[in-house]
Amino acid sequence: MTFREHGLNLPRPPVYRITVGQCLLLALSWWFVRLAGYPVVADSVFYGGLIAVLPQAWFAWRVFQYRGARSATHIARASYSGEVAKFVLTVSGFAAVFALVRPISGGAVFAGYGEMLVIQIVGSWWLLK
């Protein structure tokens, strides 16, 4: 019997689909709000969404680069370091956006961030089904 027959060589989960979906929905949100005549709000939603998407994509890449029971230590380390990096990237993203972007709508930044978090949660739940 081969490793695949024993289930030892499981395929990686397609977590990239969540990031792709987030990017598509973020682009559509930006476009619709801009067409509605609110360019500052559209840009703010976009920046908030990026603050959620980029750190999460980094985390997913770090955690899912290893597979198998022999890589358990590497997976655990990648989870810890990925979570720390995700936190630092998120905080840095908010700091950079609020310090550098003018004009900005603070509520729209947080709305874009929240929108992407909801998509992340729903997407993760959907992939696990």
Side-chain angles (χ1 to χ4, degrees):
M1 290 190 134
T2 66
F3 285 119
R4 188 170 283 295
E5 291 170 1
H6 281 112
L8 299 175
N9 194 8
L10 299 173
R12 287 186 176 97
V15 293
Y16 68 90
R17 290 182 185 172
I18 297 171
T19 303
V20 170
Q22 286 175 309
C23 291
L24 290 172
L25 288 171
L26 185 58
L28 284 173
S29 296
W30 174 83
W31 188 66
F32 280 123
V33 175
R34 200 153 213 4
L35 280 179
Y38 302 101
V40 172
V41 173
D43 292 346
S44 298
V45 166
F46 181 77
Y47 291 132
L50 284 181
I51 292 169
V53 172
L54 296 178
Q56 181 58 38
W58 170 259
F59 175 79
W61 175 76
R62 289 284 297 147
V63 170
F64 292 108
Q65 68 183 348
Y66 301 106
R67 294 186 303 175
R70 292 182 186 175
S71 300
T73 305
H74 294 295
I75 293 168
R77 284 187 188 142
S79 294
Y80 295 132
S81 66
E83 193 61 42
V84 169
K86 180 179 165 182
F87 178 76
V88 169
L89 288 169
T90 300
V91 170
S92 300
F94 276 117
V97 165
F98 284 113
L100 302 173
V101 178
R102 295 286 183 259
I104 193 162
S105 170
V109 171
F110 288 110
Y113 181 80
E115 176 187 10
M116 293 301 110
L117 287 183
V118 168
I119 294 167
Q120 174 64 38
I121 292 166
V122 171
S124 297
W125 174 76
W126 182 71
L127 277 177
L128 292 175
K129 275 184 89 176

